[in-house]
Amino acid sequence: MSDLYWPGDDRAGEHFGQEAFVRALVDVEEDWLARLGHPADLQALVQSRDLEVLAREAERGGNPVIGLVDRLRDGLTGEPASWLHRGLTSQDVVDSALVRMAERAAGDLRADLAALGADLTALAQAHRDTPMVARTLTQHAVPTTFGLRVAQWLAALVDADEQLSGLSFPDQVGGAAGTRAAMVELGVEVDLEPLPWHTVRAPVTRLGDALVTTTDALARIANDVLVMSRPEIGELSEGRPGGSSTMPGKANPVLSVLVRRAALTTPQLAATLHVGAASQVDDRADGGWHAEWATVRDLVRRTLTAASQSVELVAGLQVHAERMAATLAAAGASVRAEQRAMTDLTGRVPLPSYDGQAGAIVDAVVLRAQRHWRSA
Amino acid sequence: MSDLYWPGDDRAGEHFGQEAFVRALVDVEEDWLARLGHPADLQALVQSRDLEVLAREAERGGNPVIGLVDRLRDGLTGEPASWLHRGLTSQDVVDSALVRMAERAAGDLRADLAALGADLTALAQAHRDTPMVARTLTQHAVPTTFGLRVAQWLAALVDADEQLSGLSFPDQVGGAAGTRAAMVELGVEVDLEPLPWHTVRAPVTRLGDALVTTTDALARIANDVLVMSRPEIGELSEGRPGGSSTMPGKANPVLSVLVRRAALTTPQLAATLHVGAASQVDDRADGGWHAEWATVRDLVRRTLTAASQSVELVAGLQVHAERMAATLAAAGASVRAEQRAMTDLTGRVPLPSYDGQAGAIVDAVVLRAQRHWRSA
Amino acid sequence: MSDLYWPGDDRAGEHFGQEAFVRALVDVEEDWLARLGHPADLQALVQSRDLEVLAREAERGGNPVIGLVDRLRDGLTGEPASWLHRGLTSQDVVDSALVRMAERAAGDLRADLAALGADLTALAQAHRDTPMVARTLTQHAVPTTFGLRVAQWLAALVDADEQLSGLSFPDQVGGAAGTRAAMVELGVEVDLEPLPWHTVRAPVTRLGDALVTTTDALARIANDVLVMSRPEIGELSEGRPGGSSTMPGKANPVLSVLVRRAALTTPQLAATLHVGAASQVDDRADGGWHAEWATVRDLVRRTLTAASQSVELVAGLQVHAERMAATLAAAGASVRAEQRAMTDLTGRVPLPSYDGQAGAIVDAVVLRAQRHWRSA
Amino acid sequence: MSDLYWPGDDRAGEHFGQEAFVRALVDVEEDWLARLGHPADLQALVQSRDLEVLAREAERGGNPVIGLVDRLRDGLTGEPASWLHRGLTSQDVVDSALVRMAERAAGDLRADLAALGADLTALAQAHRDTPMVARTLTQHAVPTTFGLRVAQWLAALVDADEQLSGLSFPDQVGGAAGTRAAMVELGVEVDLEPLPWHTVRAPVTRLGDALVTTTDALARIANDVLVMSRPEIGELSEGRPGGSSTMPGKANPVLSVLVRRAALTTPQLAATLHVGAASQVDDRADGGWHAEWATVRDLVRRTLTAASQSVELVAGLQVHAERMAATLAAAGASVRAEQRAMTDLTGRVPLPSYDGQAGAIVDAVVLRAQRHWRSA
């Protein structure tokens, strides 16, 4: 599975694909059937070739479950056929399937972020004392180190992964309208927890918010690579830049471009999940719920893709420390203007270097990152 | 092609599908090759089975054109092989392909809107004088007619179709950086118009804005059906409601739900196109451009789907005029309170009906709609 | 302070007002000056009448700090004049001021949410067993209780407050470019924590995400009141509805309308904070940072206003239990259709009531809420 | 009026201020009273000191009209007191007031855009043949001219102004629920046009879309200035850059930063107007309408501010043509790589310059701009 409209999409693998969705829906039904005491192997009853029909049928009931249950029931006999889906409602099955897919995707995403975090840690440490000029509002400011810049990337990444680590992925088991009346009628023992959340969508919006926080952090890196790999700056370059269809020799920072692309789209997708949540009403919403499925899918796949691209980007990143040093030297006295203002005030001799706590901040961020991933 | 995450998506047919994209890209190259004087049949050189590879390769250059041109060139010999793509850049090919696909989709969309407009016109006329209670801020207000309500739906639709009718779909022919230097070097005669718009994205944002204006208008209808088909109100019902996976006999206004769903997501997609436009820089943007492709695709397909669903919704709509009349009657004196305030002021005898210009407004909206589509 | 364009805005009091901003900025400078060992009373140096000038001057440097520091320095003499702002940069002062204002606002917001939570708890308990019909996709589904509905409102509120409770409000102390070089040069002892976050904006986006989660939860209530106070349904009504400018006797659910209004706007504001975060670059961003200030202000004030309105809404809510019962009774056999399907399967005698675990779920949500606020 | 949270806001003057809103509301009532044949001077009846009370009272009815009408009526006697507001509803007054304010603001905005267009035209012509290197995906591409770059800015501006020029600003005259029943009852002659648009919000969303298209175009300029004024590039600089609170001699491209800031926020505001439009229902929406007022206000003021800042930015822009030439020269053979590929193909001698139709495109864009503003 990949997507010509979203280069790199295949990095997201099968997560939230069409088949993965059906498989997850069937899993939910299968688990429930087992819980009802009538286990059956349901996965075998749905084939890839059924996908198209299931997708087309999904419109009739507004979601893919009704058609799927019909199909499964057709393939069963006896008790499993009678008991299939009893006590559940379509939203139970769709929500549980989405959440299970999301949990798996978040696992893979966090593995990529951990790898990225390790690479950034090494990079920050390697360049802890590599001098470069700081830039604020696009202009040269004061001396800094490339290590401190990388530490900012790392800090943003830890923030994002902390949000991801706090997510919960509750199954949905509410029945027709969240009362579990049919389950009680059937005599099924159902634990109270997790409580039904048919119209309480924080599990979904929190996921969206954590994903967009992740692409924010990844774009933080990409934006810097895009600026610093401009030929006039030349302090960084991608390890394996992309070419042009017409200009031989062109070396484009393609991974950074594609990561930045993702981050321009995900804030609005997360907002859509909130608009959906803010449209919740009654015991099942009339559109606010349905707006979530494709939105979560796109958010997840784009974040997975951007994370994977970022791992490759950072692993291959070329750091041109000599160019950093040369730019800083060329900036000359102007980047020491603040220091002069301070020594004018104190009357002291200027310190030889003017990078303050840069090294200590790098160390602290690295320590925080290490603790975060060690405990993860 | 259809999508389990977006029930009804198959209504959008092949528009902006993977194959359609490749076909459009190849079309652009084919047209250009002919213009260079070396025509060749390129469509035969790319098969469905190549899609996956093309999509995967697209990441290397940041867009699908580089890999596609390689593939096409491999399949050609002689002059066509040498001249393929000469003078163009990938953005020329991608932008032109997207615009051509958009033009075709807009054509199909407008056909559906015209059909919907005709149905709404007939409905407004049929119920020009069907009394019902107006509702403002959810509460009973004064008498109105169902025809006037439908006229509001129709007016919104005409507004949307006017925006669609004003769109332009310019090919992109700029060369490597919008100067057309390679074309001049090759001696190709290139008309100035359309001027290159590599970094001037109004053709894209205007498309997005028109599409979201369309889903706004369609949701206007769906929202009313959702309210008015509540059993306590019962003034409308869908012709072919959806069922439930667990509650026999349930009749859900599924088409309305799915139309409303679309309209909750498209505003954010159109905003993404503007975020992309606002990120334009240099002679080709570093992410703002790439964010457009999937976003336009989703906007187009969701609008096509919602329009098609709305046609079916309105065609099958059940109008319960007797229920409207009963509700109005039951509202009693309260909906005449304003009228009494007016006659207290004038001292005149109250007019027997209190629907003002409702009928005349219906006629005027219908006339506007008829003129609009006649001239279209 | 209040706003004709946002009725109810005065409920947000002085939070994030113009004066509050200046006061917070001055506070930050005052604290820093004391830390430098040269304390001075700075608040007296800026008057309300200076606001307009400060605001106008803010454009020259891109933020209000440069003009403010000039003004403060003009009012000082001796050491405080010399040491004012030394070691800081404008972003330190702006970020710290915003965060401090946000912390105070979050405190007031959470107090309102706690009050609302207490009222919802009492309401859920009072109506734990009040029967009503559940509605899914706008249609009658199965029996439920009004207590369970309220429990859903409460669950969403607890989710939101949990997100708010997890926020952190770190001061910003980074100096010109986050290295703290001037501080070190001045010999100021600066704790490493909190680490500078000039370009790491999770403290801001997390705030935005928590606020929009809050308005999502409040809209959840408002949407139900809007539906259920429709005259045809009549199960709820606002305690003090609003009137009309022309229709005597009209009773509009105004508080619900205004809460819903807020929730339609906040998702996009939170998205703007993420777009800003995704635009971070260098050591101070060229616009992404500046886009935050008014956005956070609007998010905070709208959420405070919506929370206060919701407290009033719930406190005054009229519950028409007899109407709920009547509607359920009128729904008749159709809401027992699922139950019949279950008993057809089991062959058992139908349970007299068909509300499953509704009461137990209410109890569990209430318990969770009580624990949450007890530990808060 | 100005805003510490939005430096530069005072450039928007009194547009959409609190007083302007009241004045516009009173204007609408005054015009209507005259139309009813009972003219009175209403403006004198509301003072600045009433604003705060009016704003506070606005919550009771959900909008500021009810309180305002009470106040006006208290100040009148005789026929004007009796006839004030008769036939109208609050939405008529609010919508008409907003539209009138918007029309005035659009007039001022378009005057600024015309001035900006004239400056860009002169700049494009002055630098029609000023060579510089084109940049695509941040990397050097082929030779271009600065004039062509400016022509892209100009083209985007013309696109935006065309959208603004197509806006309409219809008064709202619908009465309680859009039927004009009270007007008919009162015997007022009301032209059919403009038809009531209480729930048909294209006049509002089109305004929003045109405004965001404008900030897209302005950001197009600002983004380039931000990149090209980086010290390593140094091809442009702002005429009157901003300073730093701590670094003497710092020269920040502040106007560009603030324009870019605006453009990061407006797409989401325009999206909010569409979310509101997509939430229209009944004969007056329960929140979707109310969400518009502050959103339109912010959109208008931010666009006015950004336009005014852009005029100043472009008027003062320093163009460093020698630096452009030096960078192009330094890029050397690499920016002629495409040309070599073309001459390899044709076997011809390379043309001395390689800027293709750059000059002709500049001329064509300039011509289009001149025609646009001449006809405007």
Side-chain angles (χ1 to χ4, degrees):
Chain A
M1 187 163 107
S2 62
D3 182 356
L4 273 170
Y5 296 82
W6 197 265
D9 174 73
D10 48 282
R11 291 176 181 262
E14 299 304 317
H15 287 293
F16 278 85
Q18 302 288 327
E19 297 198 22
F21 195 7
V22 174
R23 214 155 40 231
L25 293 168
V26 174
D27 260 346
V28 175
E29 296 285 3
E30 202 172 272
D31 288 356
W32 186 251
L33 201 48
R35 191 147 173 195
L36 293 177
H38 306 285
D41 176 8
L42 302 183
Q43 290 293 358
L45 301 178
V46 186
Q47 312 298 329
S48 291
R49 65 173 179 273
D50 300 326
L51 276 176
E52 189 68 23
V53 176
L54 282 172
R56 280 174 194 278
E57 282 173 0
E59 193 189 60
R60 287 285 296 135
N63 70 62
V65 173
I66 303 177
L68 175 66
V69 167
D70 286 348
R71 184 162 303 259
L72 292 173
R73 199 167 275 143
D74 287 349
L76 294 169
T77 54
E79 295 293 284
S82 302
W83 285 87
L84 180 75
H85 187 74
R86 295 300 177 191
L88 298 181
T89 192
S90 358
Q91 188 172 4
D92 292 331
V93 187
V94 169
D95 279 352
S96 298
L98 287 170
V99 157
R100 291 174 182 199
M101 285 194 288
E103 185 164 23
R104 276 192 294 271
D108 281 8
L109 174 62
R110 293 194 63 206
D112 262 355
L113 298 188
L116 181 57
D119 283 356
L120 290 177
T121 296
L123 194 64
Q125 290 176 317
H127 291 282
R128 184 185 185 280
D129 303 308
T130 301
M132 66 175 243
V133 69
R135 298 177 175 95
T136 57
L137 307 174
T138 74
Q139 303 299 303
H140 291 165
V142 292
T144 188
T145 64
F146 181 56
L148 182 55
R149 181 66 67 82
V150 176
Q152 302 304 308
W153 301 351
L154 181 58
L157 192 73
V158 174
D159 281 345
D161 197 60
E162 275 180 357
Q163 262 186 261
L164 288 167
S165 74
L167 295 177
S168 60
F169 301 94
D171 257 22
Q172 180 72 274
V173 189
T179 62
R180 296 176 176 161
M183 300 173 202
V184 172
E185 194 77 31
L186 294 171
V188 186
E189 295 278 330
V190 193
D191 295 337
L192 268 173
E193 301 285 345
L195 296 169
W197 48 280
H198 286 163
T199 65
V200 178
R201 307 308 288 177
V204 174
T205 57
R206 265 200 300 251
L207 170 65
D209 293 341
L211 293 171
V212 69
T213 302
T214 304
T215 57
D216 292 348
L218 301 176
R220 177 74 200 79
I221 305 172
N223 290 341
D224 273 348
V225 176
L226 288 165
V227 164
M228 295 168 80
S229 66
R230 283 185 176 269
E232 294 86 352
I233 298 180
E235 295 176 350
L236 294 177
S237 49
E238 289 199 4
R240 198 167 158 245
S244 155
S245 71
T246 183
M247 291 174 281
K250 191 112 185 301
N252 293 320
V254 169
L255 290 172
S256 303
V257 164
L258 296 180
V259 170
R260 176 168 160 72
R261 161 200 64 171
L264 295 174
T265 72
T266 48
Q268 287 74 242
L269 294 175
T272 295
L273 296 181
H274 282 290
V275 169
S279 304
Q280 287 297 320
V281 68
D282 293 337
D283 298 291
R284 177 158 314 118
D286 54 350
W289 173 49
H290 309 73
E292 289 175 0
W293 316 332
T295 307
V296 168
R297 183 254 322 263
D298 294 343
L299 260 168
V300 166
R301 289 188 65 84
R302 292 181 187 181
T303 308
L304 281 167
T305 295
S308 166
Q309 290 170 328
S310 298
V311 169
E312 184 175 331
L313 168 63
V314 168
L317 194 66
Q318 307 293 306
V319 182
H320 307 296
E322 72 300 342
R323 189 80 180 262
M324 293 175 177
T327 300
L328 181 59
S334 74
V335 297
R336 295 285 186 136
E338 187 192 55
Q339 187 181 27
R340 281 192 308 278
M342 299 302 137
T343 52
D344 286 353
L345 184 64
T346 60
R348 295 191 209 160
V349 177
L351 295 171
S353 85
Y354 192 65
D355 59 6
Q357 296 188 338
I361 295 172
V362 171
D363 297 342
V365 172
V366 163
L367 188 64
R368 184 184 159 215
Q370 287 170 334
R371 283 183 180 151
H372 169 74
W373 273 295
R374 201 172 302 136
S375 75
Chain B
M1 188 164 107
S2 63
D3 182 357
L4 272 171
Y5 296 83
W6 197 265
D9 174 73
D10 50 282
R11 290 176 182 262
E14 299 304 317
H15 287 294
F16 277 84
Q18 303 288 328
E19 296 198 22
F21 195 7
V22 173
R23 214 156 38 233
L25 292 168
V26 173
D27 261 346
V28 175
E29 296 285 1
E30 202 172 272
D31 288 356
W32 187 250
L33 201 49
R35 191 146 172 195
L36 294 177
H38 305 285
D41 177 6
L42 302 183
Q43 290 294 359
L45 303 177
V46 186
Q47 312 298 329
S48 290
R49 64 172 180 273
D50 300 326
L51 276 175
E52 188 69 23
V53 175
L54 283 172
R56 281 173 194 277
E57 281 174 358
E59 193 190 59
R60 287 284 297 137
N63 70 63
V65 173
I66 302 177
L68 176 66
V69 167
D70 286 349
R71 183 162 305 258
L72 292 174
R73 198 166 276 143
D74 287 349
L76 293 170
T77 54
E79 295 293 283
S82 300
W83 286 87
L84 180 77
H85 189 71
R86 295 301 175 189
L88 298 181
T89 193
S90 0
Q91 188 171 4
D92 292 330
V93 187
V94 169
D95 279 353
S96 297
L98 289 170
V99 158
R100 291 174 182 198
M101 285 194 288
E103 186 164 22
R104 277 191 293 273
D108 282 8
L109 174 62
R110 294 194 61 207
D112 262 355
L113 298 188
L116 181 58
D119 283 357
L120 290 177
T121 295
L123 194 64
Q125 289 176 317
H127 292 282
R128 183 185 185 281
D129 303 308
T130 302
M132 65 174 246
V133 70
R135 297 176 176 97
T136 57
L137 306 174
T138 73
Q139 301 301 302
H140 291 164
V142 291
T144 188
T145 65
F146 181 57
L148 182 56
R149 181 65 69 82
V150 176
Q152 302 305 308
W153 302 350
L154 182 57
L157 192 73
V158 174
D159 281 345
D161 197 60
E162 276 181 356
Q163 262 186 261
L164 289 166
S165 74
L167 294 178
S168 60
F169 301 94
D171 257 23
Q172 180 72 276
V173 189
T179 62
R180 296 176 177 161
M183 300 172 201
V184 171
E185 194 77 30
L186 294 170
V188 186
E189 294 279 329
V190 193
D191 295 337
L192 269 173
E193 301 286 344
L195 296 168
W197 48 280
H198 287 164
T199 64
V200 179
R201 307 308 289 176
V204 174
T205 57
R206 266 199 301 250
L207 170 65
D209 293 341
L211 293 170
V212 68
T213 303
T214 304
T215 56
D216 292 348
L218 301 175
R220 177 75 200 79
I221 305 172
N223 290 340
D224 273 348
V225 177
L226 287 166
V227 164
M228 295 168 79
S229 66
R230 283 184 176 271
E232 294 86 352
I233 297 180
E235 296 176 350
L236 294 177
S237 49
E238 288 199 6
R240 196 168 159 247
S244 155
S245 71
T246 183
M247 291 174 281
K250 191 113 184 300
N252 294 319
V254 169
L255 290 171
S256 303
V257 164
L258 295 180
V259 170
R260 177 169 160 72
R261 160 200 65 171
L264 295 175
T265 72
T266 49
Q268 287 76 19
L269 294 176
T272 294
L273 296 180
H274 282 292
V275 170
S279 304
Q280 288 296 321
V281 67
D282 293 337
D283 299 290
R284 177 158 314 118
D286 54 349
W289 173 48
H290 309 73
E292 291 175 359
W293 317 333
T295 307
V296 168
R297 183 253 323 262
D298 294 344
L299 261 168
V300 166
R301 289 187 65 84
R302 291 180 187 181
T303 309
L304 281 166
T305 296
S308 165
Q309 290 169 329
S310 298
V311 169
E312 184 174 332
L313 167 63
V314 169
L317 195 65
Q318 308 293 306
V319 181
H320 307 297
E322 73 299 343
R323 188 82 179 262
M324 293 174 179
T327 301
L328 181 60
S334 74
V335 296
R336 295 284 187 135
E338 187 192 54
Q339 186 180 29
R340 282 193 307 277
M342 299 302 136
T343 51
D344 287 353
L345 184 65
T346 61
R348 296 191 209 159
V349 177
L351 295 171
S353 87
Y354 192 64
D355 59 7
Q357 295 188 337
I361 294 172
V362 170
D363 297 341
V365 172
V366 162
L367 189 64
R368 183 183 160 217
Q370 287 169 335
R371 283 185 180 150
H372 169 73
W373 273 295
R374 201 171 305 137
S375 74
Chain C
M1 187 164 107
S2 63
D3 183 356
L4 273 170
Y5 297 82
W6 197 265
D9 174 73
D10 49 282
R11 291 176 183 261
E14 300 303 317
H15 286 294
F16 278 84
Q18 302 288 326
E19 297 198 22
F21 195 6
V22 173
R23 216 156 38 232
L25 292 168
V26 173
D27 261 346
V28 175
E29 296 284 2
E30 203 171 273
D31 289 356
W32 186 250
L33 201 49
R35 191 147 173 196
L36 293 176
H38 305 285
D41 176 6
L42 301 183
Q43 290 293 358
L45 302 178
V46 186
Q47 312 298 328
S48 291
R49 63 172 179 275
D50 300 326
L51 276 175
E52 189 69 23
V53 176
L54 283 172
R56 280 175 194 278
E57 282 173 359
E59 193 190 61
R60 287 284 297 135
N63 70 62
V65 173
I66 302 178
L68 176 65
V69 167
D70 286 349
R71 185 161 302 258
L72 292 174
R73 199 166 275 146
D74 287 349
L76 294 169
T77 54
E79 295 293 284
S82 300
W83 286 86
L84 180 76
H85 189 71
R86 295 301 176 190
L88 298 181
T89 192
S90 355
Q91 189 172 2
D92 292 331
V93 187
V94 169
D95 280 353
S96 297
L98 288 170
V99 157
R100 291 174 182 200
M101 286 194 288
E103 185 164 23
R104 278 191 293 273
D108 281 10
L109 174 61
R110 296 193 60 207
D112 262 356
L113 298 189
L116 181 57
D119 283 356
L120 290 178
T121 296
L123 194 64
Q125 289 177 317
H127 292 282
R128 183 185 186 281
D129 303 309
T130 302
M132 65 175 244
V133 69
R135 298 175 175 97
T136 57
L137 307 174
T138 75
Q139 302 301 302
H140 292 165
V142 291
T144 188
T145 65
F146 180 56
L148 182 55
R149 181 67 67 84
V150 176
Q152 302 304 309
W153 302 350
L154 181 59
L157 192 73
V158 174
D159 282 344
D161 197 60
E162 275 181 356
Q163 261 186 263
L164 288 166
S165 74
L167 295 177
S168 60
F169 301 95
D171 257 22
Q172 180 71 277
V173 189
T179 62
R180 296 176 176 159
M183 300 171 200
V184 171
E185 194 77 32
L186 294 170
V188 186
E189 296 278 329
V190 194
D191 296 337
L192 269 173
E193 302 286 342
L195 296 169
W197 47 281
H198 287 162
T199 64
V200 179
R201 308 308 289 177
V204 173
T205 57
R206 266 199 299 251
L207 170 65
D209 293 341
L211 292 170
V212 69
T213 303
T214 305
T215 57
D216 292 347
L218 301 175
R220 177 75 198 79
I221 304 172
N223 290 340
D224 274 348
V225 176
L226 287 166
V227 164
M228 295 168 80
S229 66
R230 284 186 175 270
E232 294 87 351
I233 298 180
E235 295 176 349
L236 294 177
S237 48
E238 288 200 6
R240 196 168 160 245
S244 154
S245 71
T246 184
M247 291 174 281
K250 190 112 185 300
N252 294 319
V254 169
L255 290 172
S256 303
V257 164
L258 296 179
V259 170
R260 176 168 159 74
R261 161 200 63 172
L264 294 175
T265 72
T266 48
Q268 287 74 242
L269 294 175
T272 296
L273 296 180
H274 282 291
V275 169
S279 304
Q280 288 295 320
V281 66
D282 292 336
D283 298 290
R284 176 159 315 117
D286 54 349
W289 174 49
H290 309 73
E292 291 175 359
W293 317 333
T295 308
V296 168
R297 184 253 321 264
D298 294 344
L299 261 169
V300 167
R301 288 188 66 84
R302 291 180 188 182
T303 309
L304 281 167
T305 296
S308 166
Q309 290 169 329
S310 298
V311 169
E312 184 175 331
L313 167 63
V314 169
L317 195 65
Q318 307 293 307
V319 182
H320 307 298
E322 72 298 344
R323 188 81 180 262
M324 293 175 178
T327 300
L328 181 59
S334 74
V335 297
R336 295 284 187 138
E338 187 192 53
Q339 186 180 29
R340 282 193 306 277
M342 300 303 138
T343 51
D344 285 353
L345 184 64
T346 60
R348 296 189 211 160
V349 176
L351 295 171
S353 86
Y354 192 65
D355 59 7
Q357 296 188 337
I361 295 173
V362 170
D363 297 341
V365 171
V366 162
L367 188 65
R368 183 184 158 214
Q370 287 170 334
R371 282 183 181 151
H372 168 74
W373 273 294
R374 201 172 303 136
S375 75
Chain D
M1 187 165 108
S2 63
D3 182 356
L4 273 170
Y5 297 82
W6 196 265
D9 174 73
D10 48 283
R11 291 176 182 262
E14 299 303 318
H15 287 294
F16 278 84
Q18 302 288 326
E19 296 197 21
F21 194 8
V22 174
R23 215 154 39 232
L25 292 167
V26 174
D27 261 345
V28 175
E29 296 285 2
E30 204 171 271
D31 288 356
W32 186 250
L33 201 49
R35 192 149 173 194
L36 293 177
H38 305 286
D41 175 8
L42 302 183
Q43 290 294 357
L45 302 177
V46 185
Q47 312 298 328
S48 290
R49 63 172 180 272
D50 299 326
L51 276 175
E52 189 68 24
V53 176
L54 284 172
R56 280 175 195 278
E57 282 174 358
E59 193 190 61
R60 285 285 296 135
N63 70 62
V65 173
I66 303 176
L68 176 66
V69 167
D70 286 349
R71 183 162 305 257
L72 293 174
R73 199 167 274 144
D74 287 349
L76 293 170
T77 54
E79 295 294 282
S82 300
W83 285 86
L84 180 75
H85 188 73
R86 295 301 178 192
L88 298 181
T89 193
S90 356
Q91 188 171 4
D92 292 330
V93 187
V94 169
D95 279 352
S96 297
L98 288 170
V99 158
R100 292 174 182 199
M101 286 194 287
E103 185 164 22
R104 277 192 292 274
D108 281 9
L109 175 62
R110 294 195 61 207
D112 262 355
L113 298 189
L116 182 57
D119 283 356
L120 290 178
T121 295
L123 194 64
Q125 289 176 317
H127 291 282
R128 184 186 186 280
D129 303 309
T130 301
M132 65 175 247
V133 70
R135 297 176 175 96
T136 57
L137 306 175
T138 74
Q139 302 300 302
H140 291 164
V142 293
T144 188
T145 65
F146 180 56
L148 183 55
R149 181 66 68 83
V150 176
Q152 302 304 309
W153 301 351
L154 182 58
L157 193 73
V158 174
D159 281 344
D161 197 60
E162 275 180 357
Q163 261 185 264
L164 289 167
S165 74
L167 295 176
S168 61
F169 301 95
D171 257 22
Q172 179 72 276
V173 189
T179 62
R180 296 176 176 159
M183 299 172 203
V184 171
E185 194 77 31
L186 294 170
V188 187
E189 295 279 328
V190 194
D191 295 337
L192 269 172
E193 302 285 344
L195 297 168
W197 48 280
H198 287 163
T199 65
V200 178
R201 307 308 288 176
V204 173
T205 57
R206 265 199 300 251
L207 171 65
D209 293 342
L211 293 170
V212 69
T213 303
T214 304
T215 56
D216 292 348
L218 301 175
R220 177 75 199 80
I221 305 172
N223 290 340
D224 274 348
V225 176
L226 287 165
V227 164
M228 295 168 80
S229 67
R230 284 185 176 270
E232 294 87 352
I233 297 180
E235 296 176 351
L236 294 176
S237 50
E238 288 199 6
R240 195 168 160 247
S244 154
S245 72
T246 184
M247 291 174 281
K250 191 113 186 300
N252 293 320
V254 168
L255 290 172
S256 303
V257 164
L258 296 179
V259 170
R260 176 168 159 73
R261 161 200 64 172
L264 294 175
T265 72
T266 48
Q268 286 76 20
L269 293 175
T272 294
L273 296 181
H274 282 291
V275 169
S279 304
Q280 288 296 320
V281 67
D282 292 336
D283 298 291
R284 175 158 315 117
D286 54 350
W289 173 50
H290 309 73
E292 290 175 359
W293 317 333
T295 307
V296 168
R297 184 253 321 264
D298 293 344
L299 260 168
V300 167
R301 289 188 65 84
R302 291 179 188 183
T303 308
L304 280 167
T305 296
S308 166
Q309 290 170 329
S310 298
V311 169
E312 184 176 331
L313 167 64
V314 169
L317 195 65
Q318 308 292 306
V319 182
H320 307 297
E322 73 298 344
R323 189 79 180 263
M324 293 174 177
T327 301
L328 181 59
S334 74
V335 296
R336 295 284 187 138
E338 187 192 54
Q339 187 181 27
R340 280 194 307 278
M342 298 303 137
T343 52
D344 286 353
L345 184 65
T346 60
R348 294 190 212 161
V349 176
L351 295 172
S353 86
Y354 191 66
D355 59 6
Q357 295 187 338
I361 295 172
V362 171
D363 297 341
V365 171
V366 163
L367 189 65
R368 182 183 160 216
Q370 286 170 336
R371 281 183 181 151
H372 169 74
W373 273 295
R374 202 172 302 137
S375 74

